[in-house]
Amino acid sequence: MSERTCVLVPGVCCEAEARMVSNALGALPGVEGVDVDVLGRKAWIRHGSAVSPAELLQALKPLDLGAALVAATSPLSESAEHDHAAHEHDHAEVPAAEHGGHEHGGGTGGIPWRLVATGALVGVSMLATWLPPAEYAALVAVAIGLPPVAKKGFRALRQRVLDINFLMTVAVVGAVAIGEWGEGATVGFLFAVAEWLEDRAMDRARSAIAAVMQLAPDTATLATGADVPAAGVVVGTRLLIRPGARIPLDGRVASGESSVDESALTGEAVPVSKKAGAAVSAGTVNQGGVLEVETTATSGDSAVARMARLVEEAQGERSPSERWVDRFSRVYTPVVCVLALGIAVIPPLLGGDFHVWLYKALVLLVVACPCALVLSTPVTIVSALARAARAGVLVKGGAHLETLGRLRALAMDKTGTLTEGRFRVVDCIALNGFTEAELHHVVAAVESRSSHPLAGALLEHAGGNGEIVGAATYETIEGEGVVATVEGRTVHVGNHRMTMRLGLHGEEEHARLEAWMAEGRTVVYVGIDGKLAGHLSLADVPRAEAKAAAADLAASGVSLAILTGDNAGTAQAVGRSVGINLVMADLLPGGKVDAIRDLKATYGFVGMVGDGINDGPALAAADVGIAMGTRGTAVAMEAADVALMGDDLRRLAWAIRLGRAALSRVKLNVGLAIGAKGVVMVLAVLGIANLWIAVAADMGVSLVVIALGLGMLRFPETPDAG
C-alpha cells in the first residue's frame, strides 16, 4: 500500500525549482511519484510505507528551499493512487520556515534592498560618458546583485536542471568578461525587477486560492456566548450565530429565523430563508436575526472544508496543456543552449569576430529561459479554478477544466437534476381485491428502508394512513425496484419492467400506464404474494431554471440529451417542458454507460450531469462527470470531476464558458511566449537585439502572460457582463 505526504516548499517559485524537487525526491527508493504545486508551494509525494517523512525532508535539505512537513495521509487504495484522491486527514500545523526562494519576491510589499542598491548603482554607471570612474559602479552592482542568483543557478545545475538563474549568471559574467560592464549590470537589474514583479503577480493567484480555502472562521461562539476555536467543537454543540456573522460549522437551526447568504459556497446570490430544522453550512453568512445552531459536523468534515481540500489538491493536478508545455520546455532550453554554444564557437573559428559572436550567444542564452512559457498555463488554470470555486463550481483539476472547455454534448439525468426530485403521490389505485389501506401498509414498510428519490414521497403518502411496520427482509433488484417480506407476505414495489417480468401486467393496467406517462407521471406498482395489488402515480416537476439553462447550453453550442431509468412517457414529457429533444428512457445503469459511449462517438467530448451517487457508472464513462447540489454530500462531491455546490442548473453553461475561456487564454499565452522568443532569437542572430532588450522582452512577456492568466479571476457571471 502507498501513502501520500504533503511537504511545504516555500522556496519553489518557478518550474525549474519544481523540477529540482521532483528530481531530488524521485531519486529516493520507494518514492513512486511527485507532484509539485508551484503556486501553492507544496509537493505531494506518493511513496511506500518504508519511506518516512523525515527522509523526504532530508532529501530536500540540499536544495535550501525551506521544506517542512504539512501532512501525511493514511494508505491509498489502488484507485486513489490512480486518481490522486483527496488526502483524508486535516493539515497539521505548519511551522514557519526560512527558505531559499526568490530574494526579489516573497510578496511582502517592500522593495528588497538588493534591488534598490543595484538600481541606484546602474543609474550611476550611466554617467560614465561624462564621469569615467562612474563605470565602476556597474561592477559593484554586479557584485551585489549576482551572488544570490548564481547560488541558485549552480544549485539547480547540481540537480541537472538548467534554470533561468544559471543562464542569467552566465550572461552577466560573459558581458562583464567582454568589457560590457554597464550592460551586464543592467541585465542583472532588469532580471531582478522582473522577478520581483513576477512574484507579486503570482501572489495574487495564491491569494485567490487562499480566499476560497478560508471561508469558515477559526472561532465559534457557543450558545453561552463564549468564543472557542472552531477546530475543537464537537458534533451536537449549540452555537450562537449573530447577524452578520459567518457560520463556522455545518449544522441545523435549533431556534431562531433568519436569511443566510450562501453565495460564497454555492455562487447563488439570493439569500436563503432559514428557520428551525433547516440545514446551514460553514462559510455562509447570517444576514438577519439571531440563530442558534446545533452542529452536525466537525470543522474538518464540513462541506467547505472538503471543498477547500479538493481545491487545494486541484492545483497540483496538471492539465494536458501544462504537461505539453513542460515537455516542450525540457527540449527547448537545452536545444537553444547548444545553439548558443555553437554561435559562440563556430563563427570565430571560421574567422568571425569573437566579441560579436560571443555577445550574440549571450543574448540567445537569455532567450533560452522558458519562464514565460512555463508560466503561460498554470497561472491561467489556477485563476480559473479559483474563479469557479468562488461561483460554487468545484473543478477538481486543470485537466477537467480544459475538458469542460472542449465539451460538445451534455447528458443529463432526469430525477433530481432536471426536476426538483421532490415527488408527490397523485393517484393510488388498489386492484384484485386489495384495499388502499393494505397498499399503504406494505408500501410504508418497504419504503421505510429505501434511499431511492421516490421513497420519501411514497412513505409520506402511505405512512400517514396507519402505523409503519418493518420489513423482515429487503433486497434491491437493479433497474426494477425492491422485493421485501412484510408480515410473512412477499411484497414487490417497482416499475413497469418488474411487473412484466413477474407477469402481473394486463391490458387495463397498460392503458392506464400510457395515460399517466403521457401526463409525465412516474408509475410505481405493488405486488403482494404474486398478485398485482395496485399502482400509484407520482409527479415531479422540472426545476424552475431548467428551461432557461437548457436554452443557454444550446446557445453555447452544446447538444443535450436526457438519460433516465424512468419510462419513456414521463421522460419525454420532461424533455418537452425544458426543451430537450433527445431523450433516452428505460435505461439501466449499464444502458446509461452505453448511451454515453454512443454520444461520444457522435459528438466527441461528452459530459454527464447527475447526483454523483446513483449515476456513478455514467459519470465515470463521460469525459467529465458533473454532480449537482453536492454542498452537503461528501460522496457526491468526491465522486465527480466537477461538482456544483448549489442546485442552479444555469451554472452548467457558465462553467463550460469558463472552461472555454481558460483554454483559449492558455493557447494565447503559449502563442505569445513562443512567438516572442522566436522574434528575439532572430533579432539576436541578426545582431539587432542586445542583452537588456532580450531580458526585457523575455520578462515582459512573462508578466503579460501572468496578467492575462490572472484575468480569469474576473471572468463575468453572464456572457455579456464585463
Side-chain angles (χ1 to χ4, degrees):
M1 295 292 283
S2 293
E3 296 179 0
R4 199 161 185 239
T5 299
C6 181
V7 172
L8 180 71
V9 196
V12 169
C13 299
C14 67
E15 196 62 33
E17 286 165 341
R19 204 174 305 155
M20 289 164 52
V21 171
S22 294
N23 290 349
L25 292 172
L28 282 177
V31 170
E32 300 159 5
V34 181
D35 293 319
V36 183
D37 169 19
V38 175
L39 283 173
R41 291 173 171 168
K42 292 184 178 71
W44 295 93
I45 306 103
R46 298 189 310 283
H47 57 87
S49 57
V51 181
S52 69
E55 289 178 279
L56 299 176
L57 295 179
Q58 186 63 34
L60 293 175
K61 191 174 182 179
L63 304 185
D64 192 26
L65 296 175
L69 183 66
V70 175
T73 68
S74 55
L76 293 172
S77 64
E78 290 183 9
S79 62
E81 288 182 75
H82 181 268
D83 295 333
H84 292 192
H87 56 287
E88 299 170 4
H89 291 279
D90 298 334
H91 287 172
E93 187 175 343
V94 181
E98 297 297 326
H99 61 83
H102 289 221
E103 295 200 11
H104 305 297
T108 60
I111 302 176
W113 72 268
R114 288 183 190 272
L115 189 58
V116 175
T118 53
L121 289 166
V122 167
V124 171
S125 70
M126 291 180 180
L127 302 175
T129 303
W130 303 279
L131 186 65
E135 184 178 16
Y136 292 98
L139 285 178
V140 179
V142 171
I144 291 175
L146 189 60
V149 177
K151 178 184 176 183
K152 288 182 283 184
F154 283 101
R155 186 176 63 203
L157 195 62
R158 286 198 299 270
Q159 295 293 324
R160 305 179 305 282
V161 175
L162 274 174
D163 79 336
I164 180 59
N165 296 290
F166 180 76
L167 297 176
M168 289 302 304
T169 299
V170 174
V172 172
V173 170
V176 171
I178 60 176
E180 300 289 346
W181 298 356
E183 192 152 355
T186 302
V187 166
F189 173 66
L190 288 175
F191 174 65
V193 170
E195 286 224 307
W196 181 63
L197 292 173
E198 182 183 295
D199 276 354
R200 290 172 65 86
M202 295 284 277
D203 280 341
R204 284 195 59 198
R206 294 187 186 103
S207 297
I209 287 290
V212 172
M213 296 171 62
Q214 294 173 356
L215 288 176
D218 294 329
T219 60
T221 303
L222 301 178
T224 59
D227 290 334
V228 297
V233 176
V234 299
V235 173
T237 303
R238 292 285 185 103
L239 302 180
L240 184 67
I241 313 296
R242 297 186 176 94
R246 194 174 290 274
I247 298 171
L249 298 155
D250 289 357
R252 292 195 175 277
V253 177
S255 64
E257 187 171 345
S258 182
S259 58
V260 173
D261 178 4
E262 299 182 335
S263 59
L265 196 60
T266 67
E268 296 165 12
V270 179
V272 180
S273 177
K274 302 288 184 180
K275 50 188 175 182
V280 292
S281 299
T284 59
V285 180
N286 178 22
Q287 291 192 322
V290 176
L291 294 176
E292 190 169 305
V293 170
E294 183 175 318
T295 61
T296 56
T298 61
S299 61
D301 291 329
S302 67
V304 70
R306 291 194 298 268
M307 183 180 80
R309 285 196 294 268
L310 293 172
V311 167
E312 180 184 36
E313 292 210 335
Q315 298 174 75
E317 297 291 334
R318 287 179 173 270
S319 70
S321 296
E322 287 179 279
R323 288 193 292 267
W324 181 87
V325 165
D326 187 46
R327 289 195 300 269
F328 180 85
S329 65
R330 287 176 186 236
V331 174
Y332 166 82
T333 299
V335 166
V336 177
C337 287
V338 170
L339 178 62
L341 181 62
I343 285 177
V345 174
I346 296 174
L349 291 177
L350 299 176
D353 186 299
F354 176 74
H355 182 285
V356 171
W357 287 102
L358 178 59
Y359 187 86
K360 290 181 179 181
L362 294 176
V363 175
L364 275 181
L365 277 181
V366 174
V367 181
C369 166
C371 277
L373 187 58
V374 297
L375 288 172
S376 60
T377 302
V379 176
T380 302
I381 295 296
V382 169
S383 296
L385 293 176
R387 177 67 185 94
R390 286 208 317 250
V393 180
L394 175 58
V395 184
K396 297 190 320 195
H400 304 310
L401 180 70
E402 290 191 6
T403 303
L404 274 177
R406 294 188 172 99
L407 287 185
R408 290 296 173 265
L410 197 60
M412 308 179 79
D413 179 43
K414 178 182 73 69
T415 304
T417 300
L418 282 170
T419 64
E420 293 182 355
R422 291 193 292 270
F423 290 86
R424 61 183 180 87
V425 175
V426 179
D427 289 294
C428 177
I429 298 177
L431 301 170
N432 298 322
F434 291 95
T435 66
E436 282 193 30
E438 287 179 285
L439 277 183
H440 294 151
H441 186 69
V442 297
V443 165
V446 172
E447 297 303 329
S448 64
R449 296 184 58 175
S450 174
S451 59
H452 191 278
L454 297 179
L458 290 169
L459 187 60
E460 182 181 0
H461 174 78
N465 293 275
E467 182 182 354
I468 298 177
V469 299
T473 64
Y474 182 94
E475 180 185 354
T476 299
I477 304 173
E478 186 176 285
E480 292 188 5
V482 297
V483 58
T485 304
V486 180
E487 296 178 331
R489 295 188 292 180
T490 301
V491 179
H492 286 81
V493 179
N495 58 20
H496 173 249
R497 191 182 295 114
M498 181 195 73
T499 61
M500 293 297 290
R501 179 177 62 82
L502 296 175
L504 303 180
H505 206 265
E507 291 184 6
E508 182 181 347
E509 287 75 34
H510 188 74
R512 187 175 291 118
L513 170 68
E514 289 187 335
W516 280 349
M517 287 195 308
E519 296 176 13
R521 300 187 195 177
T522 296
V523 183
V524 174
Y525 295 87
V526 182
I528 300 177
D529 290 334
K531 294 182 179 180
L532 184 62
H535 43 205
L536 305 93
S537 71
L538 300 92
D540 179 23
V541 297
R543 294 181 182 276
E545 78 282 2
K547 187 172 184 178
D552 198 1
L553 286 163
S556 299
V558 178
S559 299
L560 300 175
I562 296 176
L563 306 186
T564 180
D566 210 340
N567 62 73
T570 300
Q572 291 286 356
V574 172
R576 286 192 299 271
S577 66
V578 301
I580 299 177
N581 297 322
L582 180 57
V583 177
M584 289 174 260
D586 293 306
L587 296 177
L588 295 171
K592 289 188 178 183
V593 172
D594 293 337
I596 291 290
R597 289 173 180 158
D598 292 342
L599 289 170
K600 289 170 77 169
T602 303
Y603 295 101
F605 285 93
V606 175
M608 171 68 191
V609 189
D611 61 14
I613 304 173
N614 296 334
D615 297 306
L619 288 169
D623 293 296
V624 60
I626 305 169
M628 278 201 52
T630 62
R631 175 179 54 188
T633 312
V635 175
M637 190 186 294
E638 296 182 11
D641 305 315
V642 178
L644 304 186
M645 303 298 284
D647 292 319
D648 192 344
L649 281 169
R650 288 169 294 190
R651 287 286 162 195
L652 288 170
W654 182 88
I656 291 172
R657 287 196 297 272
L658 177 71
R660 289 178 179 175
L663 196 56
S664 176
R665 191 67 55 89
V666 164
K667 291 177 180 177
L668 172 62
N669 281 351
V670 171
L672 281 173
I674 294 177
K677 288 186 177 297
V679 169
V680 175
M681 286 177 68
V682 172
L683 294 178
V685 173
L686 294 175
I688 298 173
N690 57 27
L691 274 172
W692 68 266
I693 287 179
V695 172
D698 185 74
M699 292 303 176
V701 173
S702 294
L703 294 174
V704 167
V705 299
I706 289 173
L708 289 173
L710 289 173
M712 294 305 303
L713 293 171
R714 299 185 298 276
F715 187 75
E717 284 288 334
T718 57
D720 56 351

